[in-house]
Amino acid sequence: MSPETAAGPRERYRQQVRAEVQERAWTQVAEAGASALSLKAIAKQLGMTAPALYRYFASRDDLLTELIVSAYRELAELVEAAAYPAGAGPAGAGLHAIARAVRTWALENPHRYLLLYGTPVPGYSAPPEATELAIRIFAPVLAGFGTTFAGPGDASTLRPLAFWTRMHGVISLEVAGHFTGMPFDPDQLYTSEIASVVGDLQ
Amino acid sequence: MSPETAAGPRERYRQQVRAEVQERAWTQVAEAGASALSLKAIAKQLGMTAPALYRYFASRDDLLTELIVSAYRELAELVEAAAYPAGAGPAGAGLHAIARAVRTWALENPHRYLLLYGTPVPGYSAPPEATELAIRIFAPVLAGFGTTFAGPGDASTLRPLAFWTRMHGVISLEVAGHFTGMPFDPDQLYTSEIASVVGDLQ
DNA sequence: TGTACATCAGTGAACGCGCGTTCACTGATGTAC
DNA sequence: TGTACATCAGTGAACGCGCGTTCACTGATGTAC
């Protein structure tokens, strides 16, 4: 038995309610944006009163933080799984896999993606853990290009950064709806952009 | 005398109040985000009561629409001015000028930029005029590459699109603060990215 | 130049609504003997 | 197995706050004769 399943029924119930609250919270973020995230509304949807939620989350911002951190974590695990399929070889193919994994995730979870990489939530500052996860997500890209951060002016980091910005350039405009009605295939553009920066590496 | 200056004092006062309201509105968008845009708060800042603002704007969303459209218009004029300096020659140099103009504008007006290209304001749908302006902004880029929209699968639009997405990839991550603390120079990355797609065109 | 009238900016009260958060409390559930 | 106790989820009332929008109204400004 893992520690989770070994926990008492009270603790298990706790985790279940927490999960339900977060699920509703995501729906809210999707429908009305992160700044409209409301504990009272979530409580109502769950058939509870608002003060009850304070047993599970210290505050509204605390809940938002958990959403952000869990989205980062989800993406980090996704990227790592794509980059290192079974402890396999390092560079090259991993980058294409990362690119595909990130775009698929972003299109399936546009609001998760926008919460992480879109307009910052005003008045909210991300916890250090979020920054650490952002770095962790980028690490496999650096590794894929066989480099590390060396310092300003280091030209070897330019390509991993370009990989990252080309990826986000296509994805963010697509997810924000700026391609709707335009006569071209975003997927083709994305593939071509990724190939242009990974290119002769493999 | 232009028609504007020929208008009566009442109309001139009207335009001045409208401009003041919009100015405060931009400050609000910057400080608390577009979804926190509040007529009551603006009225208070201006030393007026909220109902007075309904003489100038039909509703809150109407004001937001004017902000968005005016930002698009500002950017459109900027891009056109960069692309066609004095009715000069067509391609090549114009693209670098566009890229520089857009980035400068975005860094000087991060909230205007994010309002146009960041996370869509939930529950708000842009008017047709905004879409028209977005197309108008992109037109000089197409012209710079000597192409037009021909239809899906037309490979000739891939480069202008790549120009656009590489531009936004760097700018949007930079403006959203995702580069802070990272040991590299975004300007260098941007220049390199633009060169990579304009490249041998000139 | 003077008067009567129309226009319109702005007020103040009110509507119904939603928010985060606190507090004292009830009542069910789990735990220790 | 049974009882006493501790734990803790959830309630209901209340706090002070802000929102968009409407309405009837006052009073200043501009306009026409």
Side-chain angles (χ1 to χ4, degrees), chain B residues 55-76:
Chain B
R55 296 257 167 223
Y56 301 94
F57 301 91
S59 68
R60 193 208 86 120
D61 275 19
D62 194 71
L63 170 58
L64 185 56
T65 294
E66 294 210 20
L67 293 186
I68 289 175
V69 169
S70 82
Y72 267 120
R73 201 150 18 213
E74 197 179 313
L75 184 58

Side-chain angles (χ1 to χ4, degrees), chain B residues 50-186:
Chain B
L53 296 192
Y54 284 80
R55 296 257 167 223
Y56 301 94
F57 301 91
S59 68
R60 193 208 86 120
D61 275 19
D62 194 71
L63 170 58
L64 185 56
T65 294
E66 294 210 20
L67 293 186
I68 289 175
V69 169
S70 82
Y72 267 120
R73 201 150 18 213
E74 197 179 313
L75 184 58
E77 281 162 16
L78 206 95
V79 165
E80 285 166 1
Y84 313 112
L95 290 170
H96 280 105
I98 290 172
R100 246 178 291 118
V102 172
R103 180 161 185 267
T104 303
W105 182 80
L107 294 183
E108 280 170 358
N109 308 279
H111 307 96
R112 272 178 175 77
Y113 176 84
L114 287 172
L115 193 58
L116 301 189
Y117 296 106
T119 308
V121 181
Y124 174 85
S125 80
E129 195 180 350
T131 312
E132 287 159 23
L133 283 163
I135 292 170
R136 188 178 138 196
I137 290 169
F138 190 55
V141 175
L142 282 171
F145 282 100
T147 187
T148 49
F149 269 129
D154 176 15
S156 81
T157 54
L158 227 48
R159 279 184 73 193
L161 286 167
F163 174 88
W164 200 241
T165 55
R166 287 185 199 183
M167 231 182 60
H168 284 287
V170 178
I171 293 177
S172 68
L173 286 172
E174 185 176 10
V175 162
H178 284 281
F179 288 162
T180 51
M182 290 182 86
F184 76 97
D185 177 16

Side-chain angles (χ1 to χ4, degrees), chain B residues 20-45:
Chain B
E20 265 180 62
V21 171
Q22 292 186 0
E23 194 189 312
R24 302 284 180 159
W26 277 118
T27 309
Q28 276 203 5
V29 169
E31 286 172 0
S35 49
L37 183 63
S38 151
L39 289 183
K40 278 202 168 165
I42 293 173
K44 186 184 274 181
Q45 282 174 21

Side-chain angles (χ1 to χ4, degrees), chain A residues 28 36 38-46:
Chain A
Q28 276 203 5
S38 151
L39 288 183
K40 278 203 168 166
I42 292 172
K44 187 184 273 182
Q45 283 173 20
L46 255 49

Side-chain angles (χ1 to χ4, degrees), chain A residues 31 46 153 174:
Chain A
E31 285 172 2
L46 255 49
E174 185 176 10

